[in-house]
Every structure is written in C-alpha cells, then in structure tokens.
Amino acid sequence: MKNLIIYAHPNEASLNHFFKNTIVEALEKSGQEIVVRDLNEINFNPVLSLQDMQGQRMGQVAEDIKTEQDFISWADQIVFVYPIWWTGMPAIMKGYIDRVFSYGFAYRYDQGIQKGLLTGKQTIIVNSHGKSNAEYESLGMDKALELTSDTGIFKYCGLEIKQHFYFDKADRASEESVLEWENELKNTFKLTDEVSVFQ
C-alpha cells in the first residue's frame, strides 16, 4: 500500500511529531511505501489567493499545488497528523485543504450535485487536543469536529475514513497514556498476516 502522511506541527518535540514517527516506523516495518509531507518543514504556503481561486475553476493550479496533488493521486491511503487548535486544524493544515483539495481535483458539481473525486482512497486522521474526551462530548465538540472535518472535508471529497483518533489531555499526557497511544498506532498501521490492508 502506498501511504501519504500529511503532517502539521512546528515542534519536533511535540506529541504529534512522536505520532508521525511512530506511524512511519510501523509502516516501514511492514514494508509499505511511504511519503511524508511535513507542511512546516517544506514551508507550505497556506494562503488561498485570488489567482488560486481563478485558476481552480479553469483546472489550473500553481506548481506547488500540483506537486501535492500528485502525491495524493499516487497514494492509496492518506494519513493526516495534526493537533486540534482552537477547535480546528492548525492554519497551515487548513490552508493545505483550501489550496490542494481544489475544485476539479478533490470534488466537483455535476448538474448541481456535489461529487467527491478522491474515491477509492482511505484515510486515517490522528489528532491531539488539550481537553478530555468527556469534556468534548459534554459540549458536543466531538460531534462538531466530526461534522466539520470528517463529513465536511474528508467524506465530502470521497475519502473513506478508516479511523479517526482523538488523543485527549495531550498537554498533560502521562507516560502510560503515551504508551497506550503508541501501541494503538502501531496496531493500526501494521499489516495483517493474510493480506496487505490496514486493520
């Protein structure tokens, strides 16, 4: 399986960086193909410009966007790793979605009916956040996040969501929690004994 990891966090000492490395190591051990796009490292420009918007409708995208779209086209599975900041994606990840998941590439409208164009690809999303999962549930934030990211972005574009991890209380995570999360990721990103698919 060809795996594209899209990662957004500026701190190499962060939990998200640890999650990304854990996933890469698990995939490497199973002999799968991997490409990592570290958005901060490549200094991805997240600003959707007027030129971008005008070009999208004509099927024209900037060279940096074409590069990212080629990686997405190549991948069987796309793994997103990023923290939840202010109840959403970091700006650089949202800008990646704005620019790369463009009209005519990730979705289009046929006679007014929306159609996702990334069908046949699966995705796993790995998020960390500061509040507890119980607090998110009590506020309805879990459903809001599912609606705005899973439904409003990933499913909208035709991606099949295999799993969405929410690792909570990440700003004060215990060693036990980190070990548990590490094991969850390792188990998710290893091949089964029988076929080359993800569990």
Side-chain angles (χ1 to χ4, degrees), residues 43-53 56 60-66 68-69 72 91-103 105-107:
N43 198 28
F44 181 80
N45 176 11
V47 179
L48 180 68
S49 67
L50 177 58
Q51 184 177 1
D52 286 332
M53 295 174 73
Q56 285 181 6
Q60 300 170 354
V61 294
E63 201 58 41
D64 62 333
I65 299 308
K66 179 67 166 59
E68 302 308 319
Q69 290 181 346
I72 290 172
I92 198 167
M93 181 64 79
K94 181 56 168 63
Y96 180 96
I97 298 296
D98 288 346
R99 296 190 69 212
V100 177
F101 281 37
S102 61
Y103 182 85
F105 173 75
Y107 72 99

Side-chain angles (χ1 to χ4, degrees), residues 7-21:
Y7 166 71
H9 200 295
N11 187 356
E12 291 188 357
S14 67
L15 266 175
N16 283 265
H17 195 267
F18 174 75
F19 296 153
K20 186 257 295 178
N21 286 348

Side-chain angles (χ1 to χ4, degrees), residues 82 89 144-155 164 166:
Y82 60 90
M89 299 175 173
L145 285 169
E146 183 178 350
L147 182 62
T148 55
S149 68
D150 292 23
T151 302
I153 297 173
F154 303 121
K155 290 179 183 177
H164 192 155
Y166 292 103

